[in-house]
Amino acid sequence: DGGATFQPLSLARRGDIRFDASAPGRAIAMTNPGYDGFVAKLDATGQKILFATYLGGFNGATVNGVAADSAGNFYVTGRAGSNFPVTANAVQPTPPDPDSMGSFAFAAKFDPAGNLAYATYLPVINSPLPLGIAVDAQGNVEIAGQTFVSQYSAADFFLTKLSANGSLALVNTSLAHMSPVGVAFDSAGNGVAVGSAVDASFPVTPDALQPTLKGSSNAVVVRFDSAGK
């Protein structure tokens, strides 16, 4: 009706608009909302939500992993777009590779009450996909996953370790010729990753159970210490 009445719409990735045949001049807009990650904490019975919050920006975010420490702080990792709400003193306040496919890894820490302690991009390029997160006794956080050279082609395994306040990258390394599918850490920050390799360039160790590639693709297992070695 010429803008005399209107209803604000949520930000969205795409939408559509039609004119209402029953009321000439009135337009109807519909939208398909974007997506955001969320974080929620339940009580011990699982029946009561202690807090819940969205986590992300206009370009969306997903949460792929969560970990908690003995003090009740918890940590999440995932992928976000180019306007993820980072906090002050973040180790990576801007996307590290603006020419990538628009998907960047992040890590965030919440205190036991659900307040955001820090949120930062990870200093990893090539559209990283976090697969696991863990925290050690000092509050340092390790995130591991894979990167992509194209939408469908995995590149390397990556490992990033952040300081307790999220302001420093203590470890930021990668392992080529491996496509990981899962990763786990112990309380000391040592980790194990499993995945696959498709060429003989995978860096096996001298005591490897199977030192050579057999067939076109083999499963691989990697164990590394808290320094990423």
Side-chain angles (χ1 to χ4, degrees):
D1 56 0
T5 59
F6 62 93
Q7 176 68 37
L9 298 178
S10 299
L11 295 175
R13 289 179 169 270
R14 51 194 174 273
D16 201 1
I17 188 168
R18 293 289 184 269
F19 287 97
D20 186 355
S22 66
R26 184 172 68 180
I28 300 174
M30 62 173 291
T31 181
N32 189 6
Y35 56 91
D36 266 338
F38 72 89
V39 178
K41 182 178 181 180
L42 308 180
D43 68 3
T45 69
Q47 302 299 311
K48 182 180 179 181
I49 298 176
L50 302 178
F51 68 81
T53 181
Y54 291 110
L55 180 64
F58 170 66
N59 291 326
T62 59
V63 176
N64 297 346
V66 60
D69 62 24
S70 59
N73 303 298
F74 59 96
Y75 309 77
V76 295
T77 187
R79 301 172 83 172
S82 59
N83 63 344
F84 184 71
V86 298
T87 53
N89 300 321
V91 64
Q92 185 70 44
T94 59
D97 184 15
D99 294 326
S100 75
M101 291 176 281
S103 183
F104 313 98
F106 73 85
K109 176 183 177 180
F110 292 83
D111 69 17
N115 300 305
L116 185 63
Y118 70 73
T120 181
Y121 291 108
L122 299 184
V124 184
I125 62 173
N126 291 332
S127 192
L129 173 63
L131 295 172
I133 183 171
V135 57
D136 65 18
Q138 290 73 45
N140 305 312
V141 173
E142 285 186 308
I143 304 102
Q146 70 182 50
T147 58
F148 292 85
V149 293
S150 70
Q151 184 176 0
Y152 303 105
S153 178
D156 298 332
F157 169 84
F158 78 85
L159 173 67
T160 301
K161 184 175 183 178
L162 303 181
S163 61
N165 62 3
S167 65
L168 295 174
L170 305 176
V171 175
N172 194 40
T173 188
S174 63
L175 179 64
H177 310 290
M178 174 184 176
S179 297
V181 296
V183 62
F185 300 89
D186 63 21
S187 58
N190 305 305
V192 174
V194 296
S196 62
V198 296
D199 63 58
S201 300
F202 179 74
V204 297
T205 51
D207 58 347
L209 176 67
Q210 181 180 318
T212 60
L213 181 71
K214 297 181 180 180
S216 60
S217 176
N218 277 172
V220 292
V221 180
V222 178
R223 183 181 181 188
F224 45 91
D225 63 20
S226 59
K229 299 178 179 180

